[in-house]
């Protein structure tokens, strides 16, 4: 009876697993069509203890493999940049920058999903897809309990990434909406090079 129950449960689960892998492959193929990405973003972060979200605006650029720039321009300035080997976080108000190697943890961050979708998604996430109007909404759940987020939702249409929602282990919900989305256009290589301004304090992130 236990063996029969196991077989029945496996048969019932198999279509769900197949659909899950199909959804994941669809997301990977959708993201692989973008060799470069540039856009403006508007970000709202809701904390459990606050009714008013923290709001940020700025722009970002991604170039495969592993190069990205996330530039916050308001209400303050902050720069997160990867040249493919080193990840830099620069705070001009504090005149300091931290750096670390682009290791496995960094590679599995949301930015790296855009930069290397197949390598990042293949064995690291459960992916489910829902179609709403003409848009595809993907739910990403990491297998690793130490991931930087507990759930991520990515909304795409045929030509662009529209929105990303991130839930983290602290109970925060971050909503990022994109505009002026541009894909597969050349990006100046200097966009991914960090040159610390004179007087900047540098700290290695361990």
């Amino acid at each position: 009876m236990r063996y029969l129950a196991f077989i029945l449960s496996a048969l019932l689960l198999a279509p769900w697993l197949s659909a899950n892998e199909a959804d994941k492959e669809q997301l990977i193929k959708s993201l692989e069509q973008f060799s470069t990405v540039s856009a403006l973003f508007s970000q709202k972060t809701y904390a459990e203890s606050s009714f008013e979200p923290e709001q940020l605006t700025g722009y970002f650029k991604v170039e495969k493999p592993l190069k990205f720039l996330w530039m916050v321009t308001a209400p303050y300035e902050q720069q997160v940049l990867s040249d493919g080997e080193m990840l830099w976080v620069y705070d001009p108000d504090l005149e300091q920058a931290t750096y670390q190697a682009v290791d496995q943890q960094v590679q599995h961050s949301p930015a790296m999903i855009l930069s290397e979708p197949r390598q990042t998604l293949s064995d690291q996430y459960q992916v489910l897809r829902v179609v709403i109007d003409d848009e595809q909404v993907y739910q990403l759940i990491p297998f690793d309990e130490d991931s930087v987020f507990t759930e991520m939702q990515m909304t795409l249409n045929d030509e662009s990434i529209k929105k990303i929602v991130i839930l983290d282990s602290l109970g925060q919900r971050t909503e990022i909406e994109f505009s002026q989305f541009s894909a597969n256009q050349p990006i100046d290589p200097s966009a991914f090079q960090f040159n610390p301004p004179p007087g900047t304090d540098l700290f290695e992130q361990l």
Side-chain angles (χ1 to χ4, degrees), residues 148-159:
V148 294
F149 60 89
T150 59
E151 181 182 333
M152 178 176 173
Q153 297 173 8
M154 185 179 295
T155 302
L156 298 84
N157 59 22
D158 291 338
E159 300 177 350

Side-chain angles (χ1 to χ4, degrees), residues 30-72:
S30 295
L31 296 178
E32 282 185 332
Q33 69 178 313
F34 305 132
S35 60
T36 67
V37 167
S38 300
L40 304 180
F41 71 84
S42 175
Q43 175 177 316
K44 295 180 180 180
T45 299
Y46 299 84
E48 282 188 325
S49 59
S50 176
F51 293 104
E52 292 296 325
E54 178 187 18
Q55 301 188 52
L56 305 175
T57 57
Y59 62 90
F60 85 105
K61 301 176 185 289
V62 174
E63 180 175 303
K64 299 175 182 176
L66 299 177
K67 296 181 180 180
F68 68 87
L69 169 66
W70 186 268
M71 179 71 75
V72 177

Side-chain angles (χ1 to χ4, degrees), residues 28 32 65 107-108 112 115-125:
I28 290 172
E32 282 185 332
Q107 290 183 22
H108 293 154
M112 289 299 97
S115 178
E116 291 198 325
R118 186 167 296 279
Q119 294 89 326
T120 306
L121 291 173
S122 292
D123 300 319
Q124 300 295 324
Y125 296 92

Side-chain angles (χ1 to χ4, degrees), residues 36-37 61-64 66-69 79 81-84 86 88 187-194:
T36 67
V37 167
K61 301 176 185 289
V62 174
E63 180 175 303
K64 299 175 182 176
L66 299 177
K67 296 181 180 180
F68 68 87
L69 169 66
Q79 180 177 345
L81 178 149
S82 168
D83 61 6
M86 299 297 296
W88 294 87
I187 297 177
D188 189 331
S190 65
F192 307 109
Q193 298 172 0
F194 180 68

Side-chain angles (χ1 to χ4, degrees), residues 7-172:
I7 293 296
L8 289 174
S9 64
L11 290 173
L12 290 172
L13 187 59
W16 183 88
L17 291 173
S18 177
N20 178 265
E21 290 303 311
D23 291 345
K24 182 183 296 185
E25 184 62 24
Q26 180 63 44
L27 175 58
I28 290 172
K29 288 182 177 180
S30 295
L31 296 178
E32 282 185 332
Q33 69 178 313
F34 305 132
S35 60
T36 67
V37 167
S38 300
L40 304 180
F41 71 84
S42 175
Q43 175 177 316
K44 295 180 180 180
T45 299
Y46 299 84
E48 282 188 325
S49 59
S50 176
F51 293 104
E52 292 296 325
E54 178 187 18
Q55 301 188 52
L56 305 175
T57 57
Y59 62 90
F60 85 105
K61 301 176 185 289
V62 174
E63 180 175 303
K64 299 175 182 176
L66 299 177
K67 296 181 180 180
F68 68 87
L69 169 66
W70 186 268
M71 179 71 75
V72 177
T73 57
Y76 53 81
E77 292 187 10
Q78 187 181 58
Q79 180 177 345
V80 182
L81 178 149
S82 168
D83 61 6
E85 298 181 357
M86 299 297 296
L87 175 73
W88 294 87
V89 179
Y90 173 56
D91 191 322
D93 290 338
L94 298 178
E95 296 185 316
Q96 69 178 32
T98 62
Y99 63 94
Q100 66 182 106
V102 178
D103 58 14
Q104 185 175 10
Q105 182 177 3
V106 173
Q107 290 183 22
H108 293 154
S109 67
M112 289 299 97
I113 292 175
L114 302 181
S115 178
E116 291 198 325
R118 186 167 296 279
Q119 294 89 326
T120 306
L121 291 173
S122 292
D123 300 319
Q124 300 295 324
Y125 296 92
Q126 173 183 320
V127 178
L128 300 174
R129 178 174 65 108
V130 176
V131 179
I132 302 177
D133 296 329
D134 294 328
E135 297 180 339
Q136 314 279 332
V137 181
Y138 293 89
Q139 180 189 42
L140 286 67
I141 300 176
F143 295 132
D144 187 354
E145 294 180 356
D146 296 325
S147 176
V148 294
F149 60 89
T150 59
E151 181 182 333
M152 178 176 173
Q153 297 173 8
M154 185 179 295
T155 302
L156 298 84
N157 59 22
D158 291 338
E159 300 177 350
S160 66
I161 302 168
K162 306 294 291 184
K163 184 177 182 178
I164 291 177
V165 177
I166 300 171
L167 307 179
D168 66 25
S169 59
L170 300 177
Q172 294 187 131

